[in-house]
Amino acid sequence: MLKNDEILKNTKLKTVKKSDLPTKSCLTCNLPFTWRKKWEKNWDDVKYCSLKCRTNKTKD
């Protein structure tokens, strides 16, 4: 698995295999989701896989 800095460098130079991208589990649905280009600057802050999960998050 590649680190965030390595992903940023690799996306500018060549195509990265989807299997090499980092994954996380959604806090709402617990399904895994993979890194996306639009999340490259805030990947550490991404918690939900979709807008639907973000709006339906459980309230503590």
Side-chain angles (χ1 to χ4, degrees), residues 15-28:
T15 305
V16 178
K17 293 179 186 177
K18 189 167 182 169
S19 61
D20 292 336
L21 295 174
T23 59
K24 288 185 177 182
S25 293
C26 178
L27 295 178
T28 303

Side-chain angles (χ1 to χ4, degrees), residues 4-5 7-8 11-12 24 35-46:
N4 288 344
D5 295 335
I7 292 169
L8 295 177
T11 55
K12 293 178 184 173
K24 288 185 177 182
W35 182 89
R36 293 185 187 177
K37 176 73 174 167
K38 68 179 184 177
W39 292 331
E40 72 180 325
K41 294 182 181 176
N42 65 343
W43 175 246
D44 294 333
D45 299 327
V46 176

